[in-house]
Amino acid sequence: MPNGDPVQIYTLKSEAVEMQVMSFGARVVSLAMRDREEKMGHVALGHAKLKDYLADRKTYFGCIAGRYANRIAGGRFSVGGQTCQITINDGPNALHGGKEGFDRYNWAASGIPGGVEFTLVSSDGDQGFPGTLTVHVRYTLHGNVVRIEYGATTDKPTVVNLTNHTYFNLAGDGRGTILDHVLRIDADEYTPINGTLIPTGELATVAGTVFDFAHPTAVGERINEDNEQLQLGRGYDHNWKLRGAEGELRAAAEIYDPGSGRRLNVATTEPGLQFYSGNFLDGTFMSRTGSRYESRTGFCLETQHFPDSPNHPEFPSTELRPDQTFQSVTAWTFTARG
Ligand code: GLA
């Protein structure tokens, strides 16, 4: 790190998956899996050098986003009778925890059976959030399944929303767009947004719209349709309300690349899923294969609470009190079919 602190990289390896995670941002740096011919290939986007991660405040490649993943309108909300102002870093809003979010921290790391645990203590007032928040994120590999477990405690009422922000391209990192990938999202509703990507508060039915992925559909099939919500997001950059009960580990999404046969299944205990089609990638950053990361060359499936929940009492709560423990699990299953 610029201050001399060492950054640690751990490799998690099985017959099916090889993944590297690093302490800066508690992030996934690389992930390789097999295609239908059993060939290993990199499917997670990332930078080649630590200095590139340090310089990149746009993509959030692979990181743990927090203390509040996604947006808070105006960076303002109240919790525990206190009004809070979070640092603003996305137009008028706070995105992924504000200016110095969890992606900017070099987390403490320690090996655990099957993987690694990252720990971060975010101080009372960090970016404007109240309460000292102690966060643990564990990545473990079990054959072809990556399990991400999140835990957090606080000493004052606060809000917490944590996700992993890995961009995948199942055709291979640096190998074109993800528009051919076939996506299923296990949801009947989504949260429409306004012009700064803040939910309006409405829960809209996806049936019969371009947001209907209840039946597997190619990402690119409707992405350029004349649709106000797609225009506001510059593509897909929306939160789906997942079926089933928050707190239960259940299927959230499946995405399949017909070219390689690679498939990713996402399961989570979270109530929501942000599907982001990589619209803001604009060729600024180089892939490790030498091509540029242009628009829609990677997608994120961010398991999470809904954006701007602190300002929407009708959404599942993101409040955490000192007598509670925040717990959340997301699992990625990687397979390939012939
Ligand atoms: C999230 C947001 C997007 C974008 C990316 C990071 O997915 O919803 O709008 O900000 O993070 O580039």
Side-chain angles (χ1 to χ4, degrees):
M1 292 292 287
N3 68 1
D5 283 355
V7 171
Q8 322 237 23
I9 291 200
Y10 285 75
T11 302
L12 282 58
K13 193 172 173 177
S14 70
E15 178 48 37
V17 171
E18 181 165 345
M19 176 168 94
Q20 288 192 312
V21 290
M22 79 163 156
S23 55
F24 178 62
R27 78 183 75 216
V28 173
V29 173
S30 71
L31 196 149
M33 67 176 290
R34 296 186 189 279
D35 66 8
R36 65 159 65 84
E37 262 113 47
E38 308 262 295
K39 217 180 109 226
M40 291 296 272
H42 285 281
V43 296
L45 277 57
H47 295 300
K49 298 247 159 60
L50 177 65
K51 71 168 174 33
D52 302 324
Y53 282 100
L54 287 164
D56 173 8
R57 288 175 175 271
K58 280 177 81 176
T59 66
Y60 298 85
F61 279 159
C63 75
I64 296 299
R67 177 180 310 198
Y68 196 95
N70 210 283
R71 293 175 176 79
I72 297 178
R76 247 184 326 274
F77 61 93
S78 304
V79 66
Q82 193 184 330
T83 304
C84 307
Q85 177 65 60
I86 309 309
T87 54
I88 299 299
N89 60 337
D90 186 64
N93 303 318
L95 174 65
H96 297 325
K99 276 196 171 129
E100 302 294 326
F102 288 180
D103 57 298
R104 308 296 305 169
Y105 283 86
N106 191 29
W107 297 48
S110 66
I112 57 170
V116 53
E117 178 175 80
F118 292 114
T119 300
L120 180 69
V121 179
S122 166
S123 55
D124 185 12
D126 186 6
Q127 305 309 305
F129 290 102
T132 311
L133 191 78
T134 305
V135 188
H136 300 283
V137 175
R138 294 172 163 219
Y139 292 96
T140 50
L141 178 61
H142 314 263
N144 62 337
V145 180
V146 171
R147 196 177 158 93
I148 313 174
E149 291 164 295
Y150 304 81
T153 51
T154 183
D155 61 3
K156 278 187 195 168
T158 191
V159 296
V160 183
N161 189 26
L162 301 173
T163 196
N164 175 283
H165 206 289
T166 297
Y167 293 65
F168 293 99
N169 184 333
L170 300 182
D173 175 25
R175 303 198 48 183
T177 73
I178 48 85
L179 296 172
D180 288 344
H181 286 43
V182 179
L183 173 65
R184 191 193 79 219
I185 301 178
D186 299 301
D188 302 304
E189 290 165 305
Y190 78 108
T191 51
I193 51 174
N194 70 18
T196 68
L197 284 77
I198 295 290
T200 60
E202 183 198 352
L203 271 177
T205 307
V206 297
T209 76
V210 300
F211 292 91
D212 191 350
F213 285 99
H215 303 286
T217 308
V219 171
E221 193 169 309
R222 301 163 300 188
I223 201 167
N224 293 319
E225 274 187 21
D226 182 15
N227 174 286
E228 197 200 352
Q229 281 295 315
L230 282 178
Q231 276 151 15
L232 293 173
R234 291 159 192 75
Y236 294 106
D237 194 353
H238 296 76
N239 168 67
W240 275 253
K241 175 186 187 285
L242 294 170
R243 291 180 190 145
E246 172 184 354
E248 261 169 47
L249 187 62
R250 68 230 188 271
E254 174 176 287
I255 187 158
Y256 171 68
D257 170 45
S260 64
R262 292 194 181 103
R263 178 193 308 272
L264 162 63
N265 283 82
V266 179
T268 190
T269 59
E270 286 294 305
L273 178 79
Q274 184 88 7
F275 169 53
Y276 171 53
S277 52
N279 316 305
F280 293 120
L281 295 173
D282 61 1
T284 306
F285 299 108
M286 300 289 290
S287 82
R288 286 169 290 204
T289 55
S291 62
R292 289 191 176 274
Y293 288 131
E294 303 287 355
S295 179
R296 301 176 182 163
T297 54
F299 66 86
C300 303
L301 289 169
E302 302 158 59
T303 54
Q304 60 173 15
H305 274 62
F306 303 176
D308 199 31
S309 295
N311 292 307
H312 288 281
E314 71 277 21
F315 289 170
S317 176
T318 51
E319 284 190 27
L320 184 69
R321 296 189 314 262
D323 63 333
Q324 298 173 311
T325 301
F326 172 88
Q327 276 178 313
S328 172
V329 179
T330 289
W332 297 332
T333 302
F334 299 95
T335 50
R337 77 162 181 217

